């Protein structure tokens, strides 16, 4: 038995396991040479009889953390389903022919597909295009900073996600009514003063002071998930996921034709798993837009719960409302009065000749504190500086309204 065991793992099965492990490592799983040897030995010892046995044997060896399960599952279904694997290879070498209906990608599918087909002609063509773009500009990093999210390739989107994950959010702190010990101030802390004087027998009285306690204000994000905003919203969700790990007071809502609270879903550790959980709770992704109805739902059911202690509201939408009536202006005014800062992030500002001529845009523009773009990494970096109080106020909304009046 010991002499035939090595021969059973030789050939195509052993090569496939090695290549599969290499693809998992490229997709982000910590798979080393030792794990590959353990997988080959486990396949021999387990006496694999069915596809499920083979799946769970490799799963037990390669998956060490819960958030890696979804990546492993995607890779296994793509790689070891022979017919599907051949179809994907053919599709990667042929140009697109017939348009297909847009389908929301599953969590980790993009990462797995790029890892599996990294050696095909399609992957080489994309690498060559990126190199050509880098030669025509100062650096590929500068190109990535200024490039529109909607025009990025798969590799550039992955690089953008990594850059977004590195952004830090030092918000400006607000004063609360509660007090804390301070070195200087106008209020004397009698309890600490008397306790300190008792240590010296009452001969010396060292005054102790109280000052206002500061606290980071909560962030409330309202993201439009209509068809024109889908790509920008997905990448901004990565930004919210990264700051949610460092801050506990981040509340996220998605709205299209209805409002959905995805705060609990976005708190998962893996970003792909978090976005997949958000998509599972939303039924109107890439559909229509009803901004007034969604804001009415938020103001009625959620404003008192989350808009406290100087909250900052980030409203991400293009403002192209289907029913732009007086209700939209009323709900925007109510939202503006309920928070400390209302920042409107509009990807339409990427166009130099943008003017607020649409009725919905003009209605919303009169009730925001700041108007900023959100279409590339540079605009996100500027937003981080603005939230920390170290940047300008963005576009002059009053001047824009006077221009189209």
């Amino acid at each position: 038995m010991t002499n035939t065991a090595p021969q059973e793992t030789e050939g195509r099965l052993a090569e496939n396991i090695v290549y599969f492990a290499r693809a998992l490592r490229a997709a982000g799983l910590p798979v080393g040479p030792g794990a590959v040897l353990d997988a080959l030995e486990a396949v021999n010892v387990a006496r694999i009889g069915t596809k499920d046995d083979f799946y769970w044997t490799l799963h037990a060896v390669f998956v060490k953390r819960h958030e890696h399960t979804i990546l492993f599952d995607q890779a296994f279904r793509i790689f070891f389903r022979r017919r599907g694997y051949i179809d994907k290879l053919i599709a990667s070498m042929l140009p697109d022919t017939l348009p297909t209906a847009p389908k929301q990608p599953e969590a980790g599918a993009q990462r797995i597909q790029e890892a599996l087909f990294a050696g095909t002609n399609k992957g080489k063509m994309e690498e060559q295009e990126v190199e050509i773009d880098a030669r025509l500009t100062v650096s590929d990093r500068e190109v990535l900073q200024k490039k529109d999210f909607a025009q990025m390739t798969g590799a550039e989107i992955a690089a953008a996600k990594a850059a977004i994950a590195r952004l830090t959010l030092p918000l400006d702190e607000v004063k609360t009514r509660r007090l804390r010990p301070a070195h200087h101030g106008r209020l004397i802390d009698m309890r600490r003063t008397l306790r300190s004087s008792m240590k010296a027998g009452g001969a010396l009285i060292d005054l102790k002071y109280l000052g206002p306690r500061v606290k980071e204000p909560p962030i409330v994000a309202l993201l439009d998930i209509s068809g024109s905003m889908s790509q920008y919203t997905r990448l901004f969700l990565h930004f919210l996921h990264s700051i949610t790990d460092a801050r506990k007071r981040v509340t996220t809502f998605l709205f299209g034709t209805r409002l959905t609270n995805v705060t609990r879903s976005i708190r998962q550790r893996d970003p792909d798993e978090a976005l997949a959980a958000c998509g599972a709770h939303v039924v109107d992704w890439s559909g229509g837009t009803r901004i007034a109805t969604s804001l009415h739902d938020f103001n009625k059911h959620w404003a008192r719960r989350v808009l406290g202690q100087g909250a900052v509201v980030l409203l991400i939408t293009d403002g192209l409302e289907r029913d732009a009536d007086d209700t939209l202006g009323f709900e925007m005014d109510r939202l503006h009065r309920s928070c400390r800062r209302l920042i409107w992030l509009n990807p339409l500002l990427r166009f130099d000749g943008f003017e607020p001529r649409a009725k919905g845009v003009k209605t919303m523009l009169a009730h925001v504190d700041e108007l900023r773009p959100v279409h590339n990494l540079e605009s996100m970096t500027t937003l981080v500086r603005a939230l920390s109080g170290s940047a300008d106020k963005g576009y002059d909304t009053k001047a824009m309204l006077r221009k189209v009046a």
Side-chain angles (χ1 to χ4, degrees):
M1 297 296 295
T2 57
N3 295 332
T4 60
Q7 297 178 358
E8 294 178 0
T9 58
E10 293 179 355
R12 301 184 63 87
L13 181 59
E15 293 176 359
N16 287 335
I17 293 177
V18 172
Y19 188 79
F20 178 63
R22 190 179 306 168
L24 291 177
R25 183 165 58 250
L29 271 68
V31 178
V36 177
L37 295 177
D38 293 340
L40 295 175
E41 184 66 22
V43 170
N44 289 332
V45 174
R47 296 293 179 180
I48 303 301
T50 62
K51 184 178 180 179
D52 291 338
D53 295 340
F54 185 58
Y55 173 91
W56 290 110
T57 301
L58 296 183
H59 183 280
V61 177
F62 290 141
V63 178
K64 304 299 182 183
R65 298 174 61 181
H66 173 69
E67 54 264 27
H68 294 158
T69 300
I70 191 167
L71 295 176
F72 176 87
D73 182 71
Q74 286 287 329
F76 187 89
R77 287 196 296 169
I78 294 174
F79 188 85
F80 287 105
R81 184 163 52 188
R82 186 172 182 180
R83 181 177 179 181
Y85 180 54
I86 295 176
D87 292 340
K88 287 183 178 293
L89 279 177
I90 296 175
S92 66
M93 292 182 290
L94 293 177
D96 296 333
T97 54
L98 297 176
T100 57
K103 181 181 179 182
Q104 183 176 349
E106 299 183 23
Q110 178 71 19
R111 204 189 309 177
I112 291 298
Q113 185 173 356
E114 292 180 357
L116 289 177
F117 301 104
T120 60
N121 295 333
K122 183 178 181 180
K124 295 179 180 179
M125 290 173 62
E126 290 180 354
E127 292 177 0
Q128 292 175 0
E129 291 178 358
V130 173
E131 291 177 0
I132 292 174
D133 290 339
R135 293 172 187 172
L136 295 177
T137 55
V138 178
S139 64
D140 56 348
R141 180 178 298 180
E142 184 177 354
V143 172
L144 193 65
Q145 286 286 329
K146 297 180 178 297
K147 193 166 187 179
D148 195 325
F149 289 144
Q151 299 176 357
M152 286 185 176
T153 63
E156 289 172 340
I157 289 179
K161 292 177 181 178
I164 290 172
R166 292 192 295 267
L167 293 176
T168 56
L169 190 63
L171 272 180
D172 55 334
E173 297 178 334
V174 295
K175 295 181 181 180
T176 64
R177 295 182 179 180
R178 294 174 178 262
L179 301 176
R180 67 174 181 178
H183 295 290
H184 305 282
R186 296 182 179 181
L187 297 177
I188 298 176
D189 189 351
M190 294 300 300
R191 179 179 296 180
R192 291 176 55 237
T193 300
L194 294 177
R195 187 176 298 171
S196 177
S197 64
M198 291 176 59
K199 295 180 180 179
L204 298 175
I205 298 179
D206 186 14
L207 295 179
K208 305 295 182 181
Y209 298 95
L210 290 173
R213 185 182 302 230
V214 295
K215 198 171 186 179
E216 292 182 341
I219 298 177
V220 179
L222 301 172
L223 284 74
D224 188 351
I225 55 173
S226 60
S228 58
M229 290 291 301
S230 179
Q231 185 65 37
Y232 303 101
T233 299
R234 289 184 186 277
L235 289 174
F236 200 84
L237 279 174
H238 279 272
F239 170 71
L240 293 176
H241 178 269
S242 63
I243 66 175
T244 302
D245 291 342
R247 297 171 52 89
K248 302 302 181 183
R249 307 176 70 194
V250 180
T251 310
T252 306
F253 295 88
L254 302 180
F255 69 91
T257 56
R258 68 193 70 182
L259 185 72
T260 306
N261 187 356
V262 294
T263 304
R264 183 174 297 179
S265 301
I266 207 172
R267 286 177 180 171
Q268 301 190 32
R269 297 181 62 181
D270 187 78
D272 290 318
E273 217 172 286
L275 263 68
C278 292
H281 290 84
V282 177
V283 297
D284 56 343
W285 195 291
S286 297
T289 309
R290 291 183 177 177
I291 303 177
T293 304
S294 301
L295 291 181
H296 173 75
D297 190 7
F298 174 81
N299 290 329
K300 183 178 180 180
H301 299 99
W302 295 99
R304 293 186 178 182
R305 306 185 192 181
V306 298
L307 295 184
Q309 300 181 349
V312 177
V313 176
L314 303 178
L315 179 60
I316 298 92
T317 180
D318 53 11
L320 302 180
E321 169 66 301
R322 185 175 63 180
D323 301 324
D325 51 10
D326 296 336
T327 306
L328 178 60
F330 176 81
E331 298 299 339
M332 282 293 300
D333 181 67
R334 184 178 176 184
L335 177 63
H336 186 207
R337 295 173 183 271
S338 302
C339 63
R340 185 169 65 96
R341 293 171 66 187
L342 176 55
I343 303 176
W344 184 9
L345 305 174
N346 193 337
L348 293 180
L349 294 176
R350 67 187 184 273
F351 301 115
D352 296 334
F354 171 77
E355 293 182 356
R357 296 191 177 276
K359 185 177 180 180
V361 177
K362 288 191 295 184
T363 302
M364 297 175 61
L365 203 58
H367 304 284
V368 297
D369 296 313
E370 300 178 25
L371 177 64
R372 296 183 176 277
V374 62
H375 62 284
N376 55 18
L377 288 175
E378 186 179 27
S379 61
M380 280 196 178
T381 305
T382 306
L383 172 63
V384 170
R385 292 199 303 266
L387 291 175
S388 61
S390 59
D392 55 30
K393 297 299 182 180
Y395 285 74
D396 189 351
T397 57
K398 295 182 180 180
M400 296 178 69
L401 287 175
R402 287 194 302 266
K403 187 176 180 181
V404 298

